[in-house]
Amino acid sequence: GRRQAAHLSGMQGGRVEASQFARGCAERLRSIEARLDYSCGSRWQGQLSVCDDLPSVARLLLPLQVRCGALLAGSDSGWLESLAAMSAAELETQSSELTRMVTGRLNELDRAVPPVRKPSEILGEVVFKQFKGHGTFLGTVIEFDQQTGFRLQYDDGDTEDVSWNDLRTMMMPRGTGEARGGPPPPPPPPPPPASPPACP
């Protein structure tokens, strides 16, 4: 009786601790993701709010690592993929080691992701935005206002004010040639035709 009750109480205490740890990880992930120039998306954001165990943390860490790409070059993610699919029984036997590994990976990400860029550093950035029924438009960040956010001017002359979070979904990841959700930049123009050989 007492021994079983104490064991169950200890298991529940461990679940509460694991849940608190997972929520703390989710807050760190939110903070790291907010420093990226481009968002992990609204679905990822929604998953943050229900993150309550180590497999949930792993499922959030995996796409964030993809967004960080070259910043974490050479980092092994096999263990995260395994963790994302673990059962509660498997977790119980390995939780302290996995908690240590998750903390280590969060620390790596925290060090690798640069601080948030100042609005003045974003002026002149080129963005892509898909307008339903009208196609994808190229825009440039032309100004920043504390109240209205970032002003974009599109290639058709229209302007729009957007928040930092909206702007991040339109920005091209640094070091790649492709905007998230947008088309790749146009190909370079063809070379000029070769001139005929000069007559002697």
Side-chain angles (χ1 to χ4, degrees):
R2 274 189 192 177
R3 180 180 266 184
Q4 187 176 6
H7 177 71
L8 287 174
S9 173
M11 284 177 51
Q12 288 172 342
R15 277 191 221 117
V16 168
E17 268 182 37
S19 180
Q20 288 172 338
F21 176 77
R23 283 194 295 279
C25 289
E27 285 309 309
R28 282 191 74 189
L29 289 166
R30 184 186 318 275
S31 167
I32 293 166
E33 190 263 357
R35 295 184 343 232
L36 295 173
D37 284 345
Y38 44 99
S39 170
C40 286
S42 58
R43 183 170 175 236
W44 188 88
Q45 294 283 339
Q47 290 171 343
L48 276 175
S49 61
V50 295
C51 178
D52 64 352
D53 61 13
L54 282 175
S56 299
V57 172
R59 288 189 292 272
L60 289 163
L61 261 167
L62 286 164
L64 185 60
Q65 285 187 163
V66 170
R67 292 278 187 265
C68 294
L71 299 174
L72 285 180
S75 291
D76 173 39
S77 295
W79 66 272
L80 271 175
E81 291 167 8
S82 296
L83 173 56
M86 271 190 191
S87 69
E90 291 173 303
L91 277 173
E92 224 174 280
T93 63
Q94 303 175 46
S95 66
S96 61
E97 177 64 12
L98 290 168
T99 299
R100 185 189 64 73
M101 292 171 73
V102 165
T103 300
R105 184 55 52 93
L106 282 169
N107 291 340
E108 281 180 64
L109 277 169
D110 216 3
R111 285 189 301 270
V113 176
V116 175
R117 293 168 63 193
K118 296 176 187 159
S120 60
E121 296 171 353
I122 297 171
L123 297 178
E125 289 276 334
V126 175
V127 298
F128 287 100
K129 182 169 182 184
Q130 178 73 36
F131 288 93
K132 258 194 171 126
H134 299 286
T136 302
F137 286 81
L138 185 69
T140 305
V141 180
I142 58 171
E143 65 183 66
F144 173 76
D145 179 89
Q146 196 70 31
Q147 302 300 315
T148 58
F150 293 90
R151 174 149 301 164
L152 306 178
Q153 182 166 16
Y154 295 100
D155 52 0
D156 66 354
D158 284 349
T159 60
E160 175 183 29
D161 293 333
V162 298
S163 70
W164 169 241
N165 281 338
D166 289 339
L167 181 66
R168 290 172 52 222
T169 66
M170 297 180 250
M171 293 178 79
M172 296 189 332
R174 286 189 237 170
T176 73
E178 200 169 304
R180 199 172 82 75
S195 53
C199 296

